[in-house]
Amino acid sequence: MYNERIKRAELQSRIITATQAAALFRDQMVVASSGFTKAGDSKAVLKALAARAQEDPLQITLLTGASLGHGTDGILTTAHVLKKRMPFQVDPILRQSINDGEVLFIDQHLGESAELIHEKVIPKVDIAVIEALMLEEDGSIVPTTSVGNSPAFAAAADKIIVEINMSVPVSLHGIHDIFMAGNWPNRQIIPVTDAGTRIGSHAIKIDPEKIAGIVLTETTDSPAQINERDDKTRAIAGHLLTFFEREIRLGRLTHRLRPLQSGIGKVANAVMEGFIDGNFHDLTMYSEVMQDSTFSLIDAGKLLLGSASSITVSEACYHRVFNNFEKYKPHIVLRPQDISNAAEVIRRLGVISINTAIECDIYGNVNSTHIGGTHMMNGIGGSNDFARNAYLSIFVTQSSSKAGAISHIVPMASHIDNTEHDVDIIVTENGLADLRGLAPRERAKLIIANCAHASYRDELNDYFSNACKTGGHTPHRLQEALSWHTRFKDNGTMLRTVPL
């Protein structure tokens, strides 16, 4: 079964069980795992490590590309294995432990995390666990459905445990483009000049002597949770399509637009699917994740090529794509995340970036990570990699939620991840605010008028009017700025008066 997957014959003798692999870990190790938004992650070894810790307690610092699937972060948390975690997560059990202070969490830009490893800013990686499609004759690792930080982990680790996933079709061979720019002072340029440019190799070069064990698995990636488009996401998409048509009439864009980037999540995916309805063609994507919308756009003949660091799709989409992968293969490139999220390339290509906000304030600052300013949700991910460097930086959110108890347009964001300087467009189901070329007082009027929910618009205008009397380039009444958040904490609603 594994001859075609382990092409270097001498490595076949290194096949071990997940339990045997777990025995290689020691307390206080720094462990790195492949995996980017639940794709291409460890399916067996980390879970076996959690099982071992039930009898033989130990703790590790765990580095990944982004989030892990199959509840692995939660299983490790429950077993008290995690001491520190970076750079991104989506697990509710881990999230609770982070917010309780039990697990230390480093919320890191995804495009910079490999650099911290290369430059030895964080402790050296002891063991890397990397999921593979196969091992080539020279021992090189061919990744599966994500690349993430795997090249950096493989280069830095003392030992590598390879999980060969037999469930992933070998037809994926050839979609990866592995390139490492190197370190200063000899860092190379990243010569990606369009979304489809290939600049590297199809596999991760390693010293095969680093491979301490090979574990065979046959488990598919965790499916993404994708919602059907609803009235709000259709409205958000509609406002964006109208905006792009206006930009085309003004001569700033063509109907090919520019390379698209979309953050992960239900809203962003639904908004991207809205491009199917638009009068656009020959689209490309330079992003970090390919979601269901990517393949819907390919099927609709709208998207020519998608470049990202992972494929994260629903169960239905997974079967559609991977049971017929040769159809999609010409349209796909998977890269390391320090290339997919590289500022140099994002700026060169003029990417149009679309990400989801938890909340936006009236001046255009965006909170992407913290509920109520203090409690971590998932992490900043790659949103700032793209927002800071994109040709157009767009943030989408619904104007309110929880039956109107929460406004997502607030006087002052309770935590700021993407500043007003890096935000061009804010869109809710109510409308779109183009903030380019506007001063703070102009931005506030436009965001309130176009994006806020009607239930909160008058109070936002009152706040802004009173703040202007106080004065300042960016007017605020600091004694009131976060009152909406404290009101929600105390009363369960941000509304000034609870309706009868």
Side-chain angles (χ1 to χ4, degrees):
M1 290 177 59
Y2 52 77
N3 286 343
E4 69 171 343
R5 304 279 187 149
I6 307 175
K7 296 185 177 181
R8 190 179 181 95
E10 68 189 66
L11 293 178
Q12 294 178 11
S13 64
R14 301 187 196 178
I15 295 175
I16 58 176
T17 67
T19 301
Q20 289 172 319
L24 299 174
F25 294 84
R26 298 289 179 266
D27 188 40
Q28 302 304 312
M29 274 187 166
V30 176
V31 176
S33 173
S34 64
F36 194 102
T37 56
K38 300 185 179 182
D41 56 327
S42 166
K43 308 296 194 299
V45 173
L46 293 182
K47 287 185 176 179
L49 180 62
R52 172 194 158 186
Q54 301 288 354
E55 303 296 330
D56 180 17
L58 78 166
Q59 286 199 308
I60 63 170
T61 293
L62 179 61
L63 321 177
T64 60
S67 55
L68 300 175
H70 296 285
T72 300
D73 269 323
I75 292 167
L76 290 167
T77 302
T78 302
H80 304 289
V81 173
L82 295 181
K83 175 183 178 182
K84 186 179 290 188
R85 181 77 168 84
M86 72 170 284
F88 188 82
Q89 56 75 43
V90 298
D91 188 274
I93 298 173
L94 174 56
R95 182 183 302 129
Q96 184 65 50
S97 288
I98 290 169
N99 288 319
D100 289 343
E102 295 171 3
V103 177
L104 299 175
F105 180 59
I106 302 172
D107 183 19
Q108 177 67 44
H109 298 301
L110 298 187
E112 293 181 356
S113 51
E115 186 175 302
L116 296 179
I117 297 165
H118 291 314
E119 296 297 314
K120 299 179 176 59
V121 175
I122 56 179
K124 183 172 174 53
V125 177
D126 295 297
I127 297 179
V129 183
I130 299 177
E131 183 177 84
L133 180 71
M134 61 180 63
L135 296 172
E136 296 286 27
E137 287 85 352
D138 63 354
S140 296
I141 299 171
V142 180
T144 57
T145 49
S146 74
V147 180
N149 277 327
S150 292
F153 293 157
D158 290 332
K159 296 179 180 179
I160 301 171
I161 298 170
V162 178
E163 289 191 19
I164 294 185
N165 193 332
M166 308 292 285
S167 75
V168 182
V170 293
S171 55
L172 266 70
H173 190 279
I175 68 168
H176 307 93
D177 188 56
I178 311 300
F179 178 84
M180 299 178 73
N183 300 325
W184 288 279
N186 301 311
R187 191 172 178 86
Q188 304 176 62
I189 64 168
I190 304 172
V192 174
T193 54
D194 62 58
T197 305
R198 288 180 173 270
I199 59 176
S201 64
H202 70 279
I204 302 168
K205 303 291 185 183
I206 65 164
D207 176 0
E209 291 306 309
K210 281 187 171 187
I211 297 178
I214 299 170
V215 177
L216 303 181
T217 68
E218 199 167 356
T219 303
T220 58
D221 291 333
S222 285
Q225 301 300 312
I226 301 296
N227 283 2
E228 295 294 327
R229 286 187 285 173
D230 58 17
D231 290 343
K232 286 186 177 182
T233 54
R234 285 192 183 93
I236 292 170
H239 296 314
L240 272 176
L241 299 184
T242 299
F243 166 76
F244 288 132
E245 290 288 0
R246 188 194 76 180
E247 293 294 289
I248 291 167
R249 290 195 301 273
L250 293 173
R252 297 179 184 136
L253 294 172
T254 71
H255 281 92
R256 294 190 64 185
L257 301 179
R258 295 189 183 182
L260 300 169
Q261 178 264 334
S262 172
I264 64 168
K266 302 170 185 178
V267 175
N269 182 73
V271 169
M272 285 296 293
E273 287 200 336
F275 282 98
I276 294 173
D277 304 325
N279 186 28
F280 308 106
H281 57 82
D282 298 334
L283 299 173
T284 59
M285 175 179 288
Y286 195 84
S287 191
E288 53 190 358
V289 181
M290 296 183 199
Q291 300 184 90
D292 285 34
S293 55
T294 304
F295 299 97
S296 296
L297 288 166
I298 292 172
D299 288 340
K302 296 278 188 176
L303 186 70
L304 292 180
L305 190 132
S307 169
S309 194
S310 79
I311 300 171
T312 303
V313 293
S314 66
E315 185 174 4
C317 185
Y318 188 96
H319 292 303
R320 183 175 96 241
V321 170
F322 290 100
N323 289 339
N324 189 24
F325 196 74
E326 293 296 344
K327 170 187 174 182
Y328 298 98
K329 190 172 182 176
H331 302 281
I332 293 173
V333 181
L334 291 185
R335 310 181 190 275
Q337 67 193 71
D338 55 335
I339 305 300
S340 68
N341 291 38
E344 169 191 346
V345 179
I346 295 165
R347 184 64 62 90
R348 180 184 300 129
L349 299 186
V351 169
I352 295 172
S353 170
I354 305 171
N355 288 287
T356 305
I358 288 176
E359 63 184 6
C360 309
D361 71 23
I362 59 175
Y363 297 111
N365 297 294
V366 170
N367 173 10
S368 303
T369 59
H370 284 71
I371 304 298
T374 59
H375 281 58
M376 172 59 62
M377 187 63 183
N378 298 329
I380 193 170
S383 63
N384 190 259
D385 293 327
F386 285 91
R388 179 69 185 89
N389 300 290
Y391 166 70
L392 278 175
S393 170
I394 301 168
F395 281 89
V396 300
T397 183
Q398 53 188 327
S399 65
S400 68
S401 62
K402 293 193 180 297
I406 294 176
S407 174
H408 294 273
I409 305 297
V410 294
M412 177 184 279
S414 59
H415 177 90
I416 296 174
D417 297 287
N418 294 280
T419 75
E420 59 186 290
H421 309 289
D422 301 329
V423 179
D424 296 319
I425 311 287
I426 291 175
V427 195
T428 70
E429 77 278 9
N430 292 329
L432 180 148
D434 184 351
L435 308 179
R436 295 173 296 173
L438 300 184
R441 295 180 187 226
E442 295 173 304
R443 292 199 298 268
K445 292 177 182 178
L446 192 63
I447 291 170
I448 294 170
N450 289 9
C451 300
H453 191 277
S455 299
Y456 291 95
R457 199 172 294 138
D458 288 345
E459 188 175 356
L460 284 168
N461 278 318
D462 288 346
Y463 174 86
F464 175 63
S465 177
N466 290 330
C468 286
K469 294 174 185 176
T470 302
H473 173 253
T474 305
H476 270 302
R477 291 174 64 86
L478 294 181
Q479 67 272 31
E480 298 176 20
L482 297 177
S483 62
W484 292 31
H485 299 87
T486 56
R487 189 186 302 161
F488 178 77
K489 184 178 180 181
D490 294 340
N491 304 326
T493 180
M494 289 185 175
L495 287 168
R496 181 163 42 190
T497 302
V498 180
L500 298 176

